[in-house]
Amino acid sequence: MEANNRRDFLKKAALAGASALMAPTLLAAEGEDESEFVLSPSKRTDSQLIVPKNNGLKITGTFLDEISHDIPHQNWGEKEWDLDFQHMKRIGIDTVIMIRSGYRKFITYPSKYLLGKGCYMPSVDLVDMYLRLAEKYNMKFYFGLYDTGHYWDTRDMSWEVEYNKYVIDEVWNTYGEKYKSFGGWYISTEISRNTKGAIGAFHTMGKQCKDVSNGLPTFISPWIDGKKAVMGTGKMTREDAVSVEQHEREWNEIFDGIHDVVDACAFQDGHIDYDELDAFFTVNKKLADKYGMQCWTNAETFDRDMPIRFLPIKFDKLRMKLEAAKRAGYDKAITFEFSHFLSPQSAYLQAGHLYDRYREYFEIK
């Protein structure tokens, strides 16, 4: 009897010590069996949101960043990519965009032209793989043009035009008529302001893309030169950000010069603050409507507000951006980029959690 009392005492003492270290949500309610709750998860499966659900623009497109210029490569094979396309399909993604077919010497397909220019031979033809997977999952694939790197070094766009003159023809002749999933073109040269030579370069490349492919759509994804456009400065924000009025003036001129060969513009949404979204988004939509262009948002799923470059974004930040896009009447939301920052099989554990929060918010089973 005495031994039994001692064992009961030790058991209760151990439970009391464990519960003192645990979060309040893990403690047993009065009158319930404590052992059932020790280190056990919540009985609920969904977050208890206190904001309206399904109140933003759903993401229906994503870039594919296989070159991985400034984020770690995940070293996936076709098995992993096939699974990722399934995860994309589950949340309604119908468009995949290869962000660039090459950057400097690394390329995504065995281009005879680029190999002849000193680029490295890839081990897999990623363009062919993406087109096959897009066809398998009934998605449209947009081909991103080649980035020589010379523009970033010199601000001279003539290199981009010259190289892509050959790449566009080569890619269309190799893949364009072979795959129904080949749905359009992404002019991958990124700008934020009315850069010298940008209008002419975008027009030349956009026109060639449309001419060779019987008018398939083209789009661009520039950034807004806002307070968080600080790459290479070592700072988190800057003071000489573009005003809404100057942004409107410059992009009115750019759209005027390219709207006949560029069908959509997907401004990156991460370079402005969250309380500036409505002002800039309203201007973007007004300009796109004026020139008969589609207004998309590039809803970045990585966080620019942290000193670590780059990690998956906090869900509330993504939610606010997608809600602003819906308020502005945007036509489509794409993201940079599902596989690293939103996929359940990403190298970043947080990406899978973001995927779950996204599904809860949009009520996707």
Side-chain angles (χ1 to χ4, degrees):
M1 185 70 172
E2 192 172 321
N4 288 338
N5 289 339
R6 187 166 58 250
R7 281 196 296 271
D8 290 344
F9 170 78
L10 291 172
K11 178 182 177 183
K12 288 178 180 178
L15 285 170
S19 48
L21 297 172
M22 290 179 347
T25 53
L26 294 178
L27 299 179
E30 186 177 354
E32 293 180 315
D33 180 8
E34 297 98 322
S35 61
E36 181 184 349
F37 289 87
V38 175
L39 299 180
S40 66
S42 168
K43 300 293 186 182
R44 296 187 182 277
T45 56
D46 289 338
S47 303
Q48 302 304 295
L49 297 183
I50 58 173
V51 295
K53 290 185 176 183
N54 208 7
N55 200 35
L57 187 62
K58 284 183 179 178
I59 295 171
T60 56
T62 182
F63 285 104
L64 305 171
D65 185 31
E66 184 57 14
I67 289 296
S68 300
H69 160 55
D70 52 7
I71 50 178
H73 204 290
Q74 299 194 104
N75 293 306
W76 288 352
E78 185 157 344
K79 180 180 72 172
E80 290 84 5
W81 276 111
D82 192 297
L83 180 57
D84 226 46
F85 272 66
Q86 293 175 48
H87 290 312
M88 295 176 202
K89 187 75 173 179
R90 182 180 186 182
I91 63 168
I93 287 178
D94 58 22
T95 306
V96 291
I97 308 118
M98 191 169 65
I99 194 164
R100 54 186 71 86
S101 52
Y103 179 64
R104 299 188 189 266
K105 290 190 175 184
F106 284 96
I107 56 178
T108 58
Y109 73 103
S111 164
K112 290 182 180 179
Y113 174 74
L114 294 175
L115 289 169
K117 291 292 184 178
C119 289
Y120 305 134
M121 181 71 177
S123 57
V124 173
D125 186 339
L126 293 168
V127 175
D128 186 78
M129 182 190 73
Y130 288 144
L131 282 162
R132 284 188 286 104
L133 289 173
E135 210 146 280
K136 180 178 179 179
Y137 293 103
N138 195 28
M139 298 178 184
K140 288 298 182 185
F141 171 84
Y142 278 67
F143 179 86
L145 302 189
Y146 174 66
D147 186 338
T148 69
H150 290 300
Y151 165 67
W152 301 111
D153 297 335
T154 65
R155 295 303 176 193
D156 180 359
M157 288 201 179
S158 61
W159 292 91
E160 314 311 313
V161 176
E162 180 64 20
Y163 275 60
N164 279 295
K165 182 166 62 177
Y166 298 97
V167 168
I168 293 166
D169 282 346
E170 180 182 59
V171 163
W172 181 253
N173 291 333
T174 306
Y175 308 100
E177 295 181 0
K178 181 179 178 182
Y179 290 106
K180 293 179 182 177
S181 55
F182 198 117
W185 306 85
Y186 170 54
I187 304 171
S188 60
T189 309
E190 296 180 24
I191 62 171
S192 64
R193 307 288 290 267
N194 195 358
T195 308
K196 181 180 179 181
I199 294 175
F202 277 32
H203 195 278
T204 299
M205 291 187 283
K207 185 177 188 304
Q208 185 180 350
C209 287
K210 294 185 82 65
D211 285 349
V212 302
S213 63
N214 300 312
L216 285 183
T218 63
F219 84 98
I220 59 174
S221 187
W223 77 89
I224 299 168
D225 200 22
K227 63 175 65 175
K228 290 191 276 186
V230 293
M231 289 297 288
T233 67
K235 299 179 180 179
M236 295 300 294
T237 60
R238 55 191 272 247
E239 304 212 350
D240 57 337
V242 71
S243 67
V244 176
E245 295 74 22
Q246 184 65 18
H247 174 78
E248 182 173 8
R249 283 194 295 272
E250 293 191 28
W251 280 95
N252 181 70
E253 184 176 349
I254 296 170
F255 281 7
D256 184 56
I258 67 173
H259 70 275
D260 58 324
V261 293
V262 175
D263 299 283
C265 181
F267 279 104
Q268 301 166 28
D269 68 3
H271 295 87
I272 54 177
D273 220 339
Y274 303 98
D275 55 9
E276 300 177 300
L277 292 167
D278 286 301
F280 279 96
F281 281 16
T282 299
V283 163
N284 294 343
K285 183 68 167 84
K286 182 174 78 171
L287 289 173
D289 287 348
K290 177 180 177 180
Y291 289 101
M293 298 170 65
Q294 289 269 303
C295 189
W296 298 359
T297 188
N298 180 355
E300 294 177 344
T301 36
F302 64 91
D303 204 330
R304 291 188 181 273
D305 303 328
M306 300 181 66
I308 302 171
R309 310 289 188 192
F310 294 101
L311 294 174
I313 199 169
K314 175 183 172 69
F315 168 70
D316 275 334
K317 296 176 180 179
L318 177 61
R319 174 183 61 81
M320 287 191 288
K321 296 191 295 182
L322 295 175
E323 288 174 351
K326 185 174 182 178
R327 285 194 297 272
Y330 273 28
D331 299 295
K332 188 177 182 71
I334 62 175
T335 186
F336 184 87
E337 160 265 6
F338 180 90
S339 297
H340 279 91
F341 304 116
L342 192 54
S343 169
Q345 63 169 354
S346 167
Y348 299 118
L349 181 65
Q350 309 97 314
H353 298 321
L354 182 59
Y355 185 80
D356 291 338
R357 303 293 80 75
Y358 180 91
R359 285 175 46 230
E360 288 172 353
Y361 175 74
F362 281 110
E363 302 179 292
I364 300 169
K365 298 300 182 185

